[in-house]
Amino acid sequence: MPKSLFQKVWDAHTVRQLANGQTQLLIGTHLIHEVTSPQAFGMLRDLNLKVAMPHRTFATVDHIVPTDQFAEPYSDPLAQAMIEAIRKNCQEFGITFFDRATGKQGVVHIVGPEQGITQPGTTIACGDSHTSTHGAFGAVAFGIGTTQIRDVLATQTMALGQLKVRRIEVNGKLHPGVYAKDVILHIIRTLGVNGGTGFAYEYAGDLFDRMSMEERMTVCNMSIEGGARVGYVNPDETTFAYLQGRPYSRKGAAWDAAVKSWKSFASDAGCHYDDVVKIDAASIEPTVTWGINPGQGLGVNECIPDPSKATSVDEKASIEEALAYMKFKPGAPIKGTKIDVAFLGSCTNGRLSDFQEVAKFIKGKKVAAGIKAIAVPGSQIVALQCAKLGIDKVLSEAGFEWREAGCSMCLAMNPDKLVGDQVSASSSNRNFKGRQGSPTGRTILMSPLMVAAAAITGTVSDAREVFAVNQN
Amino acid sequence: MALAKITQVTGRAVNVPGNDIDTDRIIPARFMKCVSFDGLGEFLFYDVRKNEDGSNKNHPLNEARFQGATVLLSGANFGCGSSREHAPQAIQKYGFRAVIAENFAEIFFGNSTTLGMPCVCATREDIAKIAAAVEANPQLEVVIDVAAQEVRFGGQTIKTTQRESARDALINGRWDSIGELLEGKDAVAALAKKLPYLAA
Ligand code: SF4
């Protein structure tokens, strides 16, 4: 019987059925970071248990690290306590830790792929909802809670119920100036923030076939914002080319065997999908959010919704709540909305290609007066790649502060925060109330080039106009 | 590890209305700078409950009549957003024992079940009935019958739904799976041998 990638990976990792009907699933790769793991290690100690497979457990530090300083102790003693806790836990249990001194530290979802730890046909878990990112490689990757981190540490397995699979097929070409970020914002806007509940999303179609691994990661990253716990793209030559020669990739004959096995995990033609959705790539516009969840998106040339035109009581209430928080006027164009802060970075859009694309267009231009613009590479390796290509300089000259690697203002657990009700043009993945560090701060999600356009004009703008993208 | 069989939760209720209440709202990220979950309860819903100077805003949890409530009522897609277990932990540490909502985000639901905190779904109309009864009498005793899949309050009974695996785990004392997972040790080792990428 033909099977989907999800089904094949699930079957290959099923240990047994549990009494409550859930599956005990083997987790091949466990990624951990400093925020959600310390309590799990505490639980492990309380139960007097060891880490089952330390060699399949990898750690980094990303959420709390300051991006403007490297030296410890950090000015925030709580942040210092957290980095020390993960250091100590990794040492005690024999876990590889990509600490800052290794030069390989970064946001966990950037580090895994970069090191070649993220591989097709594998199961991955991490105490972080954006673990879906790793699905870009044809892995089945779950974001989990701390008690489950304990389970995976102690047993290398966890208890899970099966997911249904929805194939999201996008065919055709994107217009110039439209990016992977717009694709996923469009998908979430179309299917809703909880449209994916109970589903794994399989992203397919010729658009995804042509995408680079970094673009695929951007899309898979935000699967969870559409309610899908897992999102993946079937592995292909692009995947294998990306992985070849990475530190954790196999070499020689073992590499060939790995590629052969990886290919066998791709969804079979004619396999069963619980749902299929088709989208025309050419219909996707540069998309920005106007509200307080990632599904509240608009084409940049559209107008902010009017609650009086809502089609249901629910929709009306959610538009009203979002408008009240964002202090936006119903029916007004989103273009032209004044911004205060521009943030480039995060596990959605903090990779080399994101900064490269911005640098290509921003050269010779300047961030508008009064705008705080920061660019935060997603990992130390991304920072190094950017430095080699002079991208850091281009961005600095344009007026962006070029920072050290970390999550930074994506969720502002470090010193990078919005102040008061500042409006942020952000390449990150969440625009929830208070997400960027101020309880009244406002976030508008968009692609990196749109963030650059907003930084230069001081308002939400169409990057295609600001940078004459069509002529490039 | 013998776990309690959670067949019923009985207590007073408080309604925190709204759809898509995300985990950032339940527990703002800045309170996650901790290496233990103890003490998270006081920061539950912090930014919608407190002003920047720490004084109270208008919020159901701040009302004297709802103090001591152990059942939380809310709307659709409750607990969406991040996988942080800090969210259900904060709800539980605050003193809640169960949540009734129209439906729940996946990861939040799983995390809550693992903590032995039942999350049951009811229709909007039924939740409104409970909310109205509680509004009229905050002392009203609300019984969430996990086993029978219903909620009883002030002479009324409404139906609830819950994923069967979770219901089963709660009522049979299997909501924390660690014991069972550990028992699978040999089967795990055997399967691991078949997956070449797990070799050291
Ligand atoms: S960059 Fe943002 S979304 Fe990604 S792991 Fe860090 S905080 Fe989470």
Side-chain angles (χ1 to χ4, degrees):
Chain A
M1 235 210 8
K3 285 195 210 168
S4 67
L5 176 138
F6 178 83
Q7 194 62 50
K8 291 186 206 183
V9 175
W10 183 271
D11 291 349
H13 291 80
T14 294
V15 177
R16 56 188 192 135
Q17 291 313 118
L18 298 172
N20 67 1
Q22 286 188 304
T23 299
Q24 179 170 11
L25 197 72
L26 181 62
I27 299 302
T29 304
H30 189 196
L31 305 171
I32 59 177
H33 65 72
E34 77 284 10
V35 177
T36 54
S37 70
Q39 304 85 353
F41 283 106
M43 297 174 190
L44 211 62
R45 285 194 190 93
D46 289 347
L47 294 167
N48 206 4
L49 295 168
K50 293 243 161 324
V51 175
M53 293 192 195
H55 74 288
R56 294 307 308 164
T57 313
F58 305 90
T60 188
V61 55
D62 47 14
H63 289 65
I64 53 94
V65 290
T67 57
D68 55 353
Q69 84 178 77
F70 204 79
E72 293 177 42
Y74 299 148
S75 55
D76 178 350
L78 290 171
Q80 185 62 31
M82 293 180 87
I83 194 171
E84 282 169 13
I86 193 159
R87 217 170 255 152
K88 173 171 165 284
N89 288 329
C90 287
Q91 198 170 27
E92 180 178 335
F93 292 98
I95 294 165
T96 302
F97 179 36
F98 299 109
D99 202 345
R100 281 187 135 181
T102 64
K104 298 170 181 167
Q105 169 264 339
V107 183
V108 62
H109 310 308
I110 295 190
V111 171
E114 213 164 56
Q115 292 300 316
I117 293 167
T118 301
Q119 296 182 358
T122 64
T123 49
I124 299 178
C126 175
D128 195 282
S129 48
H130 295 97
T131 307
S132 56
T133 312
H134 306 266
F137 292 79
V140 172
F142 300 95
I144 59 177
T146 294
T147 304
Q148 284 174 308
I149 299 176
R150 174 207 64 185
D151 292 351
V152 179
L153 286 173
T155 69
Q156 203 67 23
T157 67
M158 60 185 199
L160 269 173
Q162 264 268 31
L163 296 175
K164 293 178 284 184
V165 182
R166 172 179 290 143
R167 180 176 162 97
I168 300 178
E169 206 176 299
V170 189
N171 289 306
K173 277 210 171 129
L174 294 175
H175 292 297
V178 180
Y179 296 94
K181 178 64 158 286
D182 301 305
V183 174
I184 187 63
L185 284 173
H186 181 88
I187 289 173
I188 299 167
R189 175 190 179 189
T190 309
L191 300 177
V193 278
N194 54 5
T197 305
F199 282 99
Y201 279 175
E202 173 174 306
Y203 302 102
D206 61 32
L207 180 72
F208 292 103
D209 293 344
R210 287 190 308 269
M211 274 190 183
S212 70
M213 289 315 296
E214 299 201 346
E215 293 172 306
R216 292 177 189 180
M217 284 188 251
T218 298
V219 173
C220 290
N221 174 272
M222 289 188 71
S223 303
I224 188 71
E225 308 309 335
R229 193 160 184 190
V230 161
Y232 67 87
V233 177
N234 283 301
D236 61 7
E237 294 304 326
T238 306
T239 321
F240 312 143
Y242 177 99
L243 285 171
Q244 192 156 27
R246 303 254 161 198
Y248 283 82
S249 295
R250 304 272 181 203
K251 319 261 171 322
W255 165 260
D256 296 338
V259 171
K260 194 168 162 232
S261 143
W262 293 344
K263 282 184 180 162
S264 73
F265 278 101
S267 292
D268 298 323
C271 70
H272 169 78
Y273 294 103
D274 299 279
D275 191 31
V276 177
V277 173
K278 293 193 181 185
I279 294 172
D280 174 12
S283 71
I284 303 173
E285 288 291 303
T287 302
V288 298
T289 59
W290 58 271
I292 52 173
N293 71 54
Q296 290 176 321
L298 286 176
V300 64
N301 293 306
E302 290 179 61
C303 292
I304 295 165
D306 185 338
S308 70
K309 294 188 184 131
T311 51
S312 71
V313 188
D314 264 9
E315 193 193 341
K316 181 165 185 280
S318 80
I319 295 175
E320 280 168 348
E321 186 190 2
L323 289 180
Y325 183 83
M326 296 300 287
K327 301 178 185 152
F328 288 168
K329 281 204 192 63
I334 187 78
K335 203 158 97 176
T337 304
K338 276 180 62 63
I339 66 144
D340 305 291
V341 173
F343 172 64
L344 277 180
S346 87
C347 59
T348 317
N349 284 121
R351 298 182 188 80
L352 175 63
S353 57
D354 298 312
F355 297 108
Q356 228 167 358
E357 191 68 10
V358 169
K360 182 169 129 195
F361 287 105
I362 211 169
K363 204 168 183 158
K365 294 198 158 52
K366 286 265 181 265
V367 168
I371 303 291
K372 182 179 178 68
I374 65 171
V376 186
S379 72
Q380 291 180 303
I381 290 179
V382 171
L384 201 67
Q385 291 167 331
C386 287
K388 275 195 189 136
L389 296 170
I391 290 170
D392 55 342
K393 284 214 182 59
V394 173
L395 282 166
S396 304
E397 275 160 20
F400 272 85
E401 296 171 33
W402 184 258
R403 297 291 187 84
E404 303 281 355
C407 295
S408 180
M409 209 188 269
C410 174
L411 98 164
M413 274 188 80
N414 77 340
D416 309 332
K417 294 182 197 313
L418 294 182
V419 181
D421 68 354
Q422 278 182 329
V423 175
S424 156
S426 181
S427 71
S428 58
N429 48 38
R430 284 194 174 140
N431 53 343
F432 297 150
K433 290 181 179 175
R435 171 73 179 182
Q436 293 191 290
S438 161
T440 49
R442 297 173 282 172
T443 301
I444 304 181
L445 302 175
M446 56 186 84
S447 74
L449 196 66
M450 288 284 287
V451 171
I456 280 166
T457 58
T459 61
V460 175
S461 305
D462 189 335
R464 297 171 298 189
E465 294 163 9
V466 176
F467 299 115
V469 171
N470 287 311
Q471 286 119 56
N472 276 276
Chain B
M1 275 196 325
L3 297 171
K5 295 185 174 171
I6 302 171
T7 53
Q8 276 195 6
V9 175
T10 302
R12 292 187 286 116
V14 56
N15 186 27
V16 177
N19 294 335
D20 304 315
I21 292 186
D22 59 72
T23 49
D24 280 79
R25 197 143 1 135
I26 296 171
I27 184 84
R30 61 184 186 281
F31 300 119
M32 286 162 51
K33 268 190 236 157
C34 54
V35 290
S36 132
F37 288 129
D38 304 340
L40 275 185
E42 61 178 295
F43 303 117
L44 177 65
F45 290 124
Y46 195 87
D47 289 341
V48 280
R49 212 154 56 83
K50 301 273 180 184
N51 291 307
E52 276 178 53
D53 62 5
S55 60
N56 280 346
K57 285 187 188 172
N58 208 349
H59 190 276
L61 292 195
N62 291 335
E63 292 185 40
R65 60 197 182 123
F66 295 127
Q67 297 312 305
T70 54
V71 175
L72 181 63
L73 303 175
S74 194
N77 200 25
F78 187 80
C80 62
S82 108
S83 61
R84 64 183 70 156
E85 189 166 308
H86 303 68
Q89 289 275 5
I91 293 173
Q92 199 178 46
K93 295 259 153 48
Y94 184 89
F96 288 107
R97 294 284 158 263
V99 188
I100 308 175
E102 278 179 68
N103 47 58
F104 297 88
E106 196 100 0
I107 302 182
F108 177 90
F109 178 82
N111 284 340
S112 301
T113 306
T114 309
L115 298 178
M117 182 168 74
C119 289
V120 300
C121 304
T123 65
R124 171 165 319 180
E125 295 68 37
D126 285 343
I127 293 171
K129 280 185 205 157
I130 311 174
V134 169
E135 179 65 33
N137 174 17
Q139 296 302 320
L140 186 71
E141 185 166 276
V142 175
V143 180
I144 300 178
D145 194 325
V146 181
Q149 305 218 66
E150 59 187 37
V151 176
R152 298 184 291 274
F153 56 100
Q156 302 187 66
T157 301
I158 60 140
K159 285 271 149 229
T160 59
T161 55
Q162 190 177 34
R163 189 179 303 156
E164 184 49 34
S165 59
R167 191 183 81 97
D168 173 272
L170 290 165
I171 63 178
N172 291 307
R174 285 197 287 261
W175 37 272
D176 185 341
S177 42
I178 187 75
E180 218 185 342
L181 293 178
L182 284 165
E183 284 164 20
K185 203 168 173 211
D186 295 340
V188 174
L191 179 61
K193 281 209 188 84
K194 291 193 215 156
L195 297 164
Y197 78 97
L198 296 183

